[in-house]
Amino acid sequence: MFSSFDFDVIRRSLPYLFYEGMTFTLTLTALSAFGGLVFGTLIALMRLSGYRLLGRVAGLYVDFMRSLPLVLVIFWFYFLVPYIGQWLTGASRPIKVGAFSSSLITFIMFEAAYFSEIMRAGIQSISRGQPAAASALGMTYSQTMRYVVLPQAFRNMLPVLLTQTIVLFQDTSLVYVLSITDFLGAASKVAQRDGRLVEMYLFAAVVYFTISCIASWSVRRLQARISIVR
Amino acid sequence: MIELRHVDKWYGPNFQVLKDCTTRVAKGEVVVVCGPSGSGKSTLIKCVNALEPIQGGEIILDGIKVNDPATDLPKLRSRVGMVFQHFELFPHLRIQENLCLAQEKVLGRSHDEAQAKGMKLLDRVGLKEHAGKYPAELSGGQQQRVAIARALAMDPIAMLFDEPTSALDPEMISEVLDVMVDLAGEGMTMMVVTHEMGFASKVAHRVIFMDQGEIVEDALKDDFFGKPRSDRAQKFLSKILQH
């Protein structure tokens, strides 16, 4: 049944798919995960701060982001961010924002909501004696968080954070709706140019599957090692 | 050194954990706080360095009012050592890092200075060779001795002990008490919540007996063990000394 398929199209487009497509996908994944983790941690700290207003604002943000489909947020940001930028800076025309910046901001904002829930659980998993001991030694709130609570929370949650990053890696393919050349976008461009849709989408699936599988397997091994250390 | 005047504390509107508690600990004095569980003794000692807020009365520590909103609490706490029932070493840090962290970040000591101080104290509690290990690799008694060294590294003016031996296996209790006895012998001001009556009769100057959030008895050691005035203290002593 494969006789009419031309798998050579894959070989010919490999450099384009990986140098351009996969590089973009991995860069976007890494930067979004990092940014999402930083903002997510801040949101988690806001929710656990004990200041009711701060907690409510953070809670609303998380609920809001988690109730919207990602594709919608991507679109919405792409079209709205220039106007928000214009409004913020008081410029006379909409601020031009590149596709990469726009999608990066979107993913950071979106992932922050998910990472914040993970970090919140991580912080709550630390017994109350730990911050008490840090305070008793004279550490301030921020020192206690920075040196005692967050490192432990991060370590406890590392497998979950990495699993969420694997999901993020797959989700970045949605930027293809903005005609960005990520890995899927690149595959799709080649597919349409050469009329080889089945081959290219099949190949893209195999690549996503392989990378995600290896990553999940590594996370499981890491998890086993962490549980032994403790 | 430590002064509590008419301290009241509530958990919620209906449950009063501390009722009009008044006492003081003079410089160089060792005061043992005992009483049945739930009597508020741990809560009382946690109020001294404001780990727990109070709702009435006042607490004065080395001339500074603890429950004054203007007080720089982290600074005040850094001058008082505290040892917890469950040790509370930082599990993600090695022993030497546990000893150095607050010295460097709170007192601003250099790493070498903190390291030297930490090793000296670790040697003093007999655990020098464990400096590179993680807390989970040590026994409970060893962890508690590290916790004492960690508190001493801050050069505290007084030490608070919150049931330091309650979570330990019996054979490890004495190694921790030995360190505390030494410390008392050096003239450290100490407030100790404990059930170890042997320790109390050996090194305490005064014993405070608490029940249901009240300080029922506050007496010199010999008076307390000789003939406690209150019924409740007599009952408690007869129960605890029975075996």
Side-chain angles (χ1 to χ4, degrees):
Chain A
M1 79 179 257
F2 288 121
S3 55
S4 62
F5 289 166
D6 170 21
F7 284 101
D8 194 53
V9 66
I10 295 169
R11 192 191 55 75
R12 276 181 276 124
S13 56
L14 274 181
Y16 174 65
L17 286 178
F18 281 90
Y19 284 132
E20 257 185 64
M22 193 48 90
T23 306
F24 181 95
T25 295
L26 290 178
T27 311
L28 183 60
T29 305
L31 291 179
S32 308
F34 178 76
L37 184 61
V38 171
F39 280 99
T41 303
L42 286 177
I43 293 167
L45 289 175
M46 280 168 72
R47 290 194 82 171
L48 296 171
S49 66
Y51 296 105
R52 197 170 297 170
L53 185 69
L54 221 54
R56 278 293 289 278
V57 170
L60 274 174
Y61 176 81
V62 171
D63 287 343
F64 181 66
M65 278 297 176
R66 296 211 303 179
S67 341
L68 290 173
L70 181 51
V71 182
L72 193 65
V73 182
I74 292 172
F75 263 131
W76 199 70
F77 253 77
Y78 188 61
F79 296 117
L80 267 186
V81 163
Y83 291 98
I84 295 173
Q86 178 190 22
W87 178 68
L88 281 177
T89 57
S92 57
R93 312 180 63 196
I95 305 285
K96 219 171 166 227
V97 180
F100 179 75
S101 317
S102 166
S103 50
L104 181 61
I105 294 171
T106 311
F107 275 101
I108 288 177
M109 305 272 290
F110 196 78
E111 288 304 315
Y114 287 86
F115 279 128
S116 82
E117 287 297 277
I118 299 173
M119 284 310 283
R120 187 161 74 119
I123 293 168
Q124 283 175 327
S125 74
I126 311 297
S127 82
R128 289 184 59 189
Q130 287 285 308
S135 305
L137 285 164
M139 288 191 215
T140 59
Y141 171 81
S142 57
Q143 287 174 327
T144 299
M145 282 298 156
R146 181 169 163 201
Y147 299 117
V148 176
V149 176
L150 289 180
Q152 292 185 59
F154 181 73
R155 190 171 302 201
N156 292 354
M157 287 295 134
L158 192 58
V160 191
L161 291 168
L162 288 173
T163 304
Q164 179 65 29
T165 306
I166 296 171
V167 176
L168 166 65
F169 164 72
Q170 293 160 15
D171 284 352
T172 54
S173 60
L174 288 173
V175 297
Y176 127 98
V177 298
L178 303 180
S179 313
I180 291 175
T181 314
D182 74 317
F183 183 72
L184 184 62
S188 138
K189 275 176 194 162
V190 174
Q192 283 168 18
R193 184 194 63 195
D194 296 357
R196 292 289 169 190
L197 297 168
V198 179
E199 292 90 332
M200 289 314 290
Y201 284 131
L202 194 63
F203 178 65
V206 168
V207 170
Y208 276 108
F209 176 80
T210 312
I211 292 179
S212 299
C213 259
I214 293 174
S216 301
W217 177 78
S218 312
V219 171
R220 270 200 301 280
R221 280 201 45 171
L222 178 81
Q223 205 163 10
R225 271 186 52 189
I226 290 179
S227 59
I228 291 169
V229 172
R230 244 190 264 124
Chain B
M1 178 72 69
I2 303 169
E3 211 166 337
L4 293 90
R5 293 188 194 130
H6 308 292
V7 171
D8 289 315
K9 178 175 177 59
W10 278 269
Y11 281 136
N14 300 319
F15 182 57
Q16 190 170 5
V17 265
L18 296 178
K19 295 171 195 160
D20 196 25
C21 293
T22 300
T23 189
R24 59 193 297 275
V25 182
K27 193 171 181 341
E29 201 176 20
V30 178
V31 173
V32 162
V33 184
C34 64
S37 57
S39 59
K41 51 196 191 311
S42 280
T43 309
L44 184 77
I45 202 167
K46 281 182 183 143
C47 290
V48 172
N49 63 353
L51 286 183
E52 294 278 355
I54 60 173
Q55 280 80 42
E58 57 179 5
I59 298 176
I60 316 278
L61 196 64
D62 194 34
I64 299 163
K65 191 173 168 190
V66 175
N67 54 323
D68 182 341
T71 301
D72 182 353
L73 278 180
K75 193 172 172 200
L76 189 64
R77 288 183 184 129
S78 73
R79 301 173 60 212
V80 187
M82 184 156 205
V83 176
F84 296 83
Q85 182 176 2
H86 297 287
F87 333 132
E88 304 300 350
L89 295 180
F90 305 132
H92 61 300
L93 300 177
R94 292 172 196 280
I95 299 304
Q96 63 196 26
E97 294 164 334
N98 263 279
L99 290 163
C100 290
L101 182 63
Q103 288 191 71
E104 289 173 32
K105 305 300 176 196
V106 177
L107 302 180
R109 287 180 184 158
S110 74
H111 183 68
D112 292 343
E113 202 183 343
Q115 190 93 345
K117 177 106 192 167
M119 287 309 282
K120 206 173 110 196
L121 286 161
L122 207 52
D123 190 27
R124 182 182 158 171
V125 297
L127 295 168
K128 200 173 181 179
E129 65 275 23
H130 298 291
K133 291 188 181 170
Y134 285 96
E137 297 174 80
L138 303 187
S139 72
Q142 291 172 326
Q143 288 191 49
Q144 194 60 300
R145 279 144 68 198
V146 172
I148 295 173
R150 181 176 70 176
L152 290 175
M154 305 295 283
D155 291 320
I157 53 170
M159 287 282 285
L160 308 172
F161 292 86
D162 182 14
E163 305 206 28
T165 56
S166 300
L168 294 175
D169 289 336
E171 77 269 21
M172 292 171 184
I173 290 177
S174 67
E175 66 186 59
V176 171
L177 290 180
D178 285 347
V179 174
M180 292 168 62
V181 170
D182 277 357
L183 210 53
E186 282 169 22
M188 174 62 80
T189 307
M190 290 163 66
M191 191 165 174
V192 186
V193 174
T194 186
H195 297 291
E196 297 296 331
M197 289 301 125
F199 172 81
S201 63
K202 197 159 148 194
V203 299
H205 299 109
R206 272 177 34 240
V207 178
I208 293 172
F209 174 75
M210 289 186 72
D211 193 19
Q212 293 175 1
E214 287 172 284
I215 293 182
V216 178
E217 194 133 344
D218 185 345
L220 290 173
K221 173 184 67 182
D222 293 334
D223 294 343
F224 182 77
F225 286 111
K227 195 179 183 327
R229 272 169 297 153
S230 66
D231 280 356
R232 282 190 277 183
Q234 278 176 19
K235 256 187 208 154
F236 176 75
L237 271 182
S238 69
K239 261 187 209 157
I240 211 166
L241 297 175
Q242 212 165 36
H243 300 289

